Amino acid sequence: MQALLSTEAVLVESYVGPGEERSLADDVLDGLTRPFKELPPKHFYDAAGAELFDRICELPEYYPTRAERAILEDRSAEIVAATGAAELVELGSGTAAKTRLLLTAMTEAGTLRRYVPVDVTEAMVLECADALVDEFPGLRVHGIVGDFERHLRHVPEPDGPRVVAFLGGTIGNFTPGSRRRFLRGLAKLLRPGVDHLLLGSDLVKDPAIIEAAYDDSAGVTAEFNRNVLRVINRELDADFDVDAFEHVAFFDREREWVEMRLRAQRRMDVEVRQLGLTVAFAPREELRTEISAKFTVDRLRGDLAAAGLELRDVLTDPDDLFALSLSSPR
Ligand SMILES: C[S@@+](CC[C@H](N)C(=O)[O-])C[C@H]1O[C@@H](n2cnc3c(N)ncnc32)[C@H](O)[C@@H]1O
């Protein structure tokens, strides 16, 4: 562990070393030597990737952010009243844009004590810690720069009734089995009878709406998708010809998830010099970079139950595009 910042109001700790940040090398070695090539989505988010994601959130086709924000605008006070939250732990906090609605409701209820953002991107945790203590006088921030799949044990002991927020539909990035395993780990952060999980999940809907959200007409999502190749080129001294990969996004109707892939437009041998690895791509071969599962209330209830959590309430936007659910340990 490395303490990155320590003042009266802010403590930021990092659990990702400079050399092994986000375990990129392990994931590239593992994912690019499989018969069907695959990389986990967490590697999109260097500074450029985070900026591209912010632009995606503003796109007319990308409904999840707007829908989730609409729910938080309408219902944050109700969420705070139902949970009595004094502490907000947020996984994959990013720029904490929507989080401010919850923090404001906690301030208005007079309960707000501490915010604990957890994100792999160091700059985002530092920037949002800094900004939030200015915006919310009296707030303490304990930031964790880490991987929410590996470092949840470093989340500090609770300081009052806790809400763990996992927003943006990021839960959909897990395959069904690992989703339940992840939720079981997450549930350990919650005390029965006191704490709650606030989970943002994108809902199953007309596939045309979903596909447009992942393949926008301005090509921002395509750039975001290809950014993972730029990250590998820079961090692992690789020579991907980034523009030779085509963005592919489709809704798998059977599994009810979106897949993003990168399709090689010709035969290529890519050198990943830091790993001493040559990766061969056949023409039109695809590399899967993200899945984003869509939910029904039954699927949500089943996944939560498998982690020992009981679904208490489901809040949706007026168009039923997105759901925020509240659950707590049984
Ligand atoms: C889709 S964005 C969502 C950001 C924000 N919560 C929202 O709702 O707009 C995902 C965020 O999770 C972070 N992230 C992705 N995988 C992660 C991981 N394994 N551990 C920690 N943070 C992760 C990214 O850096 C990014 O900030």
Side-chain angles (χ1 to χ4, degrees):
M1 190 276 286
Q2 192 195 353
L4 298 177
L5 184 61
S6 176
T7 66
E8 210 171 296
V10 181
L11 177 63
V12 177
E13 297 173 336
S14 174
Y15 295 90
V16 287
E20 43 108 43
E21 189 156 359
R22 291 173 272 183
S23 61
L24 178 67
D26 289 348
D27 289 340
V28 167
L29 191 57
D30 179 37
L32 296 191
T33 56
R34 291 184 190 186
F36 183 86
K37 295 181 174 67
E38 182 165 26
L39 286 170
K42 64 184 159 192
H43 302 301
F44 287 130
Y45 297 94
D46 64 347
E51 211 177 297
L52 283 165
F53 180 73
D54 276 352
R55 282 175 58 199
I56 289 174
C57 292
E58 306 281 315
L59 291 168
E61 295 96 333
Y62 197 75
Y63 62 84
T65 307
R66 268 189 305 280
E68 193 179 40
R69 171 176 281 279
I71 305 169
L72 286 169
E73 275 167 358
D74 271 9
R75 315 288 288 271
S76 283
E78 197 181 312
I79 292 167
V80 171
T83 57
E87 171 176 276
L88 186 64
V89 177
E90 185 175 13
L91 310 183
S93 44
T95 52
K98 287 165 288 182
T99 315
R100 284 165 167 84
L101 295 165
L102 285 166
L103 295 175
T104 301
M106 290 161 76
T107 305
E108 284 166 0
T111 55
L112 180 65
R113 269 189 235 161
R114 186 167 66 166
Y115 176 54
V116 182
V118 180
D119 203 288
V120 271
T121 310
E122 179 180 308
M124 295 225 250
V125 178
L126 285 168
E127 277 166 29
C128 100
D130 224 34
L132 289 175
V133 290
D134 280 349
E135 285 171 44
F136 296 89
L139 174 70
R140 283 177 298 109
V141 176
H142 183 144
I144 308 273
V145 180
D147 184 334
F148 52 56
E149 290 186 67
R150 297 189 292 140
H151 299 125
L152 286 189
R153 66 184 180 283
H154 301 301
V155 169
E157 284 302 305
D159 181 10
R162 162 182 280 180
V163 167
V164 174
F166 194 29
L167 304 179
T170 308
I171 187 67
N173 294 154
F174 292 92
T175 50
S178 46
R179 181 160 73 226
R180 290 186 171 193
R181 181 156 35 91
F182 172 74
L183 286 171
R184 272 200 300 279
L186 192 164
K188 292 191 188 131
L189 298 175
L190 304 170
R191 297 160 298 173
V194 190
D195 301 331
H196 292 81
L197 170 64
L198 181 68
L199 183 64
S201 317
D202 196 7
L203 296 173
V204 172
K205 63 183 71 61
D206 177 356
I209 297 178
I210 298 177
E211 284 179 349
Y214 291 83
D215 194 8
D216 64 278
S217 53
V220 183
T221 316
E223 272 318 296
F224 175 73
N225 194 6
R226 280 191 281 263
N227 190 56
V228 73
L229 303 181
R230 294 199 180 88
V231 170
I232 298 170
N233 280 352
R234 186 186 61 237
E235 299 289 324
L236 300 177
D237 195 13
D239 63 358
F240 275 103
D241 177 358
V242 174
D243 294 327
F245 285 83
E246 186 187 350
H247 170 67
V248 177
F250 64 94
F251 184 61
D252 180 329
R253 286 164 172 72
E254 204 174 305
R255 298 188 173 91
E256 296 192 310
W257 70 43
V258 171
E259 290 204 15
M260 290 212 305
R261 297 181 178 186
L262 289 166
R263 182 186 292 145
Q265 287 174 303
R266 54 179 165 79
R267 212 202 93 72
M268 274 179 269
D269 279 329
V270 177
E271 300 294 331
V272 187
R273 280 182 281 269
Q274 220 181 79
L275 301 178
L277 183 70
T278 306
V279 185
F281 282 86
R284 300 188 65 74
E285 186 176 347
E286 292 177 355
L287 155 65
R288 183 161 66 191
T289 50
E290 177 173 302
I291 68 154
S292 181
K294 306 304 163 194
F295 291 81
T296 58
V297 172
D298 279 348
R299 176 169 299 150
L300 206 52
R301 186 180 286 109
D303 285 343
L304 291 165
L309 295 167
E310 190 168 336
L311 184 60
R312 306 275 173 196
D313 206 357
V314 181
L315 314 174
T316 58
D317 57 291
D319 299 320
D320 276 341
L321 297 172
F322 199 90
L324 264 185
S325 61
L326 259 188
S327 53
S328 55
R330 269 197 302 257

